Amino acid sequence: MHEPMAEGGLAHPGGSLAPCAPQPQPQPQPQPQPQPQPQPQPQPQPQPQPQPDADASAPGGRRESWVRQLRDAFAAQRQAWLAMAAVAAGLLLLFGLSDLDRRLADLAWHPAAGFAGQGNWWLERFSHVWLKRAMLLVAALAWLRALAGWCWPRCAARRRRWLAVALGMVLGPLLVAVLKPVSGVHCPWDLQRYGGMALNHLSWFGDPAGVRWGGCFPAGHATTGFGLFGLVLYWYGRAAWSTRLAWLAAFACGLALGIGQQWRGAHFLSHTLWSAWLCWAACLVVAGLLLPRATAAGRTGATGRSG
């Protein structure tokens, strides 16, 4: 006979009951954790690349760039060029509609002795030789300083300004030297009024009497002094009073040399004043191209320092 199986146990031989082994409980499966979604990183915006200047890369672009720079320089110096135009108009009216040149030349002329300054050592030797050499030395020193600024870092301070000074001292006299041979204006001592052969000192197309071409306008020797306008550019746009004083000193020097030439019968006063106009005009062009910040400062009346 089989013994009955007790509840919750198994029958073992000998009639004892043994407890049932516990059934393994299923382990809960770990729930997958949601992975954090990566935040999109902002993409850096591409920097715009500078586009090459089409004018500079095209044939003739460099020339157009210089033309544009000249146009901007004239625009920034509008007041200065308006004043220059007014002065030019005044010179044309004053000496074109009056006999002022001849009246002033008459003061230095004597029919028996000629012009008072002829043979004068101060006017012919000191002024025409030694003073001119001194001014050439000043111009050479300015060029050495300008070149040193581009060759040695120690001298790099204001090198563009020194270059403007050096160019301003040369370009005005050079412009006058180019214009003189092609002008038909005679010197006072060439006129019949003062013992010469020419009828009119404004013989632009030649003299009917077969007199040589004048070639006496503008005044060349006066540019020895007016060339000092280039030194004005050292203070131009950053020191108003120094600029004015330097300008007046350079103008007085050139005017004195021009009057000496007039006393010798070599030039009329109008020749000297037109040389001053041309030399300062050349300096304004140089300042507009090489000293744009100084030009803008001069336009607005500022006196801050600039290269």
Side-chain angles (χ1 to χ4, degrees):
M1 295 278 306
H2 292 283
E3 293 183 1
M5 182 179 299
E7 181 179 1
L10 295 176
H12 286 270
S16 63
L17 295 175
C20 293
Q23 297 295 325
Q25 297 295 326
Q27 297 294 330
Q29 297 295 328
Q31 297 296 326
Q33 298 294 329
Q35 297 295 329
Q37 296 296 327
Q39 297 295 327
Q41 298 294 329
Q43 297 296 327
Q45 297 295 328
Q47 297 295 327
Q49 297 295 326
Q51 297 296 326
D53 190 354
D55 292 340
S57 59
R62 185 179 299 274
R63 181 182 59 194
E64 294 177 4
S65 177
W66 275 98
V67 171
R68 183 170 60 250
Q69 193 171 357
L70 273 174
R71 185 177 64 247
D72 294 342
F74 276 96
Q77 296 173 313
R78 181 181 178 183
Q79 293 182 354
W81 284 109
L82 287 176
M84 292 290 286
V87 171
L91 291 176
L92 289 173
L93 292 174
L94 177 62
F95 293 102
L97 301 179
S98 72
D99 203 24
L100 182 60
D101 266 341
R102 292 186 181 182
R103 289 179 179 273
L104 293 176
D106 287 346
L107 298 177
W109 167 256
H110 191 278
F115 283 99
Q118 287 182 334
N120 185 286
W121 184 87
W122 289 100
L123 297 179
E124 294 191 355
R125 187 67 181 173
F126 176 78
S127 173
H128 233 73
V129 177
W130 296 108
L131 194 56
K132 180 178 288 187
R133 289 177 180 176
M135 297 304 179
L136 290 175
L137 178 61
V138 173
L141 291 176
W143 271 102
L144 287 176
R145 177 59 181 84
L147 293 176
W150 296 91
C151 296
W152 290 283
R154 180 179 296 181
C155 301
R158 297 199 180 102
R159 60 183 182 181
R160 289 176 66 89
R161 189 169 288 275
W162 277 108
L163 180 61
V165 169
L167 285 173
M169 296 188 70
V170 171
L171 290 183
L174 182 62
L175 179 60
V176 171
V178 170
L179 291 176
K180 280 190 67 173
V182 299
S183 74
V185 180
H186 286 284
C187 304
W189 57 33
D190 292 333
L191 302 181
Q192 292 182 1
R193 183 185 184 95
Y194 305 113
M197 299 294 296
L199 298 176
N200 187 354
H201 83 288
L202 291 177
S203 301
W204 291 98
F205 302 103
D207 195 282
V211 180
R212 66 176 177 82
W213 195 255
C216 198
F217 176 86
H221 183 56
T223 60
T224 303
F226 294 137
L228 295 178
F229 279 147
L231 292 176
V232 178
L233 300 182
Y234 183 79
W235 296 280
Y236 181 78
R238 65 189 187 96
W241 277 106
S242 298
T243 300
R244 295 188 184 101
L245 291 176
W247 193 96
L248 290 174
F251 180 78
C253 184
L255 183 63
L257 294 176
I259 292 176
Q261 288 293 86
Q262 182 178 344
W263 212 246
R264 295 177 60 236
H267 285 290
F268 289 107
L269 178 62
S270 61
H271 302 180
T272 299
L273 296 181
W274 275 111
S275 292
W277 192 95
L278 290 170
C279 287
W280 182 238
C283 288
L284 286 179
V285 173
V286 171
L289 292 176
L290 294 180
L291 306 174
R293 287 186 296 172
T295 300
R299 183 184 180 185
T300 58
T303 57
R305 295 188 178 274
S306 59

